[in-house]
């Protein structure tokens, strides 16, 4: 599993019905958001609160870490 904010970020994404679309390159995953109807990349090694918040913004989720 990842480190830092990944576990919390994954829980929030799942709670908002985001779907893990596929494994990306290296330590990244590609997720799909039903809110924005777009895909976005999530690093399994998210160590920065700012990066985690940016992922939530791309997914259309208002929550912040």
């Amino acid at each position: 599993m990842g480190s830092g904010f990944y576990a919390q970020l994954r829980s929030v994404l799942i709670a908002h019905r985001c779907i893990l679309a596929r494994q990306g390159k290296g330590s990244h995953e590609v997720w799909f958001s039903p809110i924005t109807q777009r895909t976005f990349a999530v690093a399994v090694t998210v160590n920065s609160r700012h990066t985690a918040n940016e992922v939530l913004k791309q997914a259309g989720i208002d929550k912040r870490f």
Side-chain angles (χ1 to χ4, degrees):
M1 209 62 148
S3 62
F5 288 93
Y6 178 75
Q8 298 169 15
L9 184 59
R10 181 180 170 95
S11 296
V12 171
L13 292 174
I14 291 172
H16 285 85
R17 298 184 185 166
C18 292
I19 301 164
L20 176 61
R22 63 183 170 84
Q23 182 66 37
K25 290 187 175 186
S27 65
H28 287 75
E29 298 174 338
V30 177
W31 287 73
F32 174 78
S33 172
I35 299 168
T36 61
Q37 296 294 308
R38 300 179 83 181
T39 59
F40 54 95
V42 177
V44 178
T45 57
V46 177
N47 292 323
S48 167
R49 176 176 53 91
H50 300 290
T51 304
N53 287 338
E54 186 60 33
V55 169
L56 292 176
K57 184 177 177 181
Q58 290 176 16
I61 300 170
D62 290 331
K63 181 180 175 11
R64 297 288 178 253
F65 289 106

